[in-house]
Amino acid sequence: MPIAKVNGVETEFEPGMTVLQVAERAGHEIPRFCYHERLSIAGNCRMCLVEVKPGPPKPQASCALPAAEGQEIFTDTPMVKKAREGVMEFLLINHPLDCPICDQGGECDLQDQAMGYGRDGSRYAENKRAVEEKNMGPTVKTFMTRCIQCTRCVRFISEVAGVPDIGMISRGESAEITTYLEKNIDSELSGNVNDLCPVGALTHRPWSFHYRPWELKKTETIDVMDALGSNIRADSRGAEVMRILPRVHEGINEEWLADRSRYVVDGLNVRRLDRPWLRENGKLRPATWTEALDAMALKLKTTKPERMGVIAGDLQDAESLKAALDLFRALGSPNTDCRQDGTVLGGGPRESWLFNSGLAGIEDADHILLIGTNPRLEAPLLNARIRKAWLKGGLKVSVIGERADLTYDHDFIGHGSKTLMRLPKTGADSLAAAQRPAIIVGAGLLAGPDGPALLNAVARLAAKAGVVREGWNGFNVLHMAASRVGGLDMGFIPAEGGLAAVEMAKKGALDVLFLLGADEIDASATSAFKIYLGSHGDRGAHGADVILPAAAWTEKPGLYVNTEGRVQMAERVVFPKGEAKEDWAILRALSERLGKTLPYDSLEQLRARLMADHPTFGRIDYLRPAKAFKVEALGNMGEPGDTAFRSAVADPYLMNPIQRASATMAELSAQRSRPVLLAAE
């Protein structure tokens, strides 16, 4: 490896590294505003100036200067100090003195670096310029007079999000960052520009003036708004979650976060269930926990096992799924299902329901076939990874399903089942010719009566194209529900002779239906005695005979398994609202009244039982290398009807009870459905 000297100390570095990267490898901090590791190099701010020999006798921008063998780099000479002070003085010429009222106060790069590298005064007495504010949408609040034109937001929106809605116009003193045609940012990742902004020019509109950063307690946890399991940090003040920010996890979300995961926090305190309710004479009344549990126990004791069932929702943690499964199996009921959308997965090898390539591994594919999925809606961060691989070159993307703007070029093959059934015979050559072919199957494809036949058609195509081969498994299922893979891993599907979720919801199918946070299935037709256990008064609670308040995902510790099979642990951020309790504890109390006491009295005992029965849950944040399996055996042979494939997501901002309770999600949903108006209109 080549060697350079940093402040007189020899440092090895990898070819292609910049002077800034070499200096930081040697342990010397280099101030910067425009430079970001995941964005292209701009060299705008000039704050990263260093002295380099051999080279011209002047400071040079270390972010844009390639390191070379034998270079001498100086980061703390008088020349460098004077140059950085001069740059900081220029940056502050037009910057307003907003620190006391700025949302970035306390976590502002400009504030921190002005303290570390700035002068104690300014030689400029001219008036500061003012810049008109911009309307960039429900997620971004602008104070453009503070902008230092680092262009991080421009580069992120253009390169990562793939929606070039932001740019710089004019020149010199008139230069400013703006959206084209004064339109909102049309991206599911728009909130990331607020994180990237090194000053207070772009801030989070939903949280504006709500807190100071030093007031917040920070808790590292996991996002459950989709099945990716993005790593997040939830910041709380008292009993309220104030904001959600991304954490770095190279294998999942890098350091980005989707808007629906970031801005859903205001839905955690709205429409909450905070006490039990009982229906008497057709009307709900408040009840005590004793009354509610006794009423459920009486009904379950007098019901035949085959006439009772439980459907688990999309946000359930593995502990609550395990407790519900153990209880209903102890009662003798075969009717258990975590697939409230009616998908056909489960019962086969674990690889048959996983995203086997891995979220980071999908960047290694050279041909991706998307079937019945729109990753931009279903998993924006996965879509950003596909775009990242496409930008590198060598990746071909094909689509069977809806036409959509995926932010990268792709070949549209067909709309639905006819195209898919024809491909194993005529269209597998292109996939087979790839070195690392991948198929991504959407959850919408696998729901409904044609699901088994469609799954078999995908499996036959995968087998013929060699998608699953030694050293590479490109068969990928993109789930939408955070609880789905965990439920399938522990066998939360109908036992022999049991009913699936859609069948349980039909009229006359059951006498008792237990909805464990299940809000996305229509159970209005059933005449069964309905029990709802959940955190919000949403669809599942409507028409229920007993309503039990549960803790939201930020109010309890829990295990979740993401779409690639990685087990992750969510932590409690705040305590449950009112009389709400953790789901597993409610089920444990109910089991005691039924005479089927579950064999665990604490969360630790429950997790020990879960990990003993299903060892995969014991390996936290471990992604097992995908194994080859007999992919052609999936599904059932058959001839599906002529159907057009649609994404499982109708509205990415209204997918679960927490999102439907959020005012910010409602704004984002309304913006998405609103037609784009040109300036002339």
Side-chain angles (χ1 to χ4, degrees), residues 210-218 235-238 242:
H210 283 199
Y211 59 82
R212 284 297 192 182
W214 54 82
E215 300 175 322
L216 305 180
K217 175 188 173 185
K218 302 169 178 62
D235 293 354
S236 59
R237 184 177 62 192
M242 302 299 294

Side-chain angles (χ1 to χ4, degrees), residues 434-447:
Q435 295 294 317
R436 292 175 299 280
I439 292 176
I440 300 179
V441 184
L445 177 82
L446 304 175

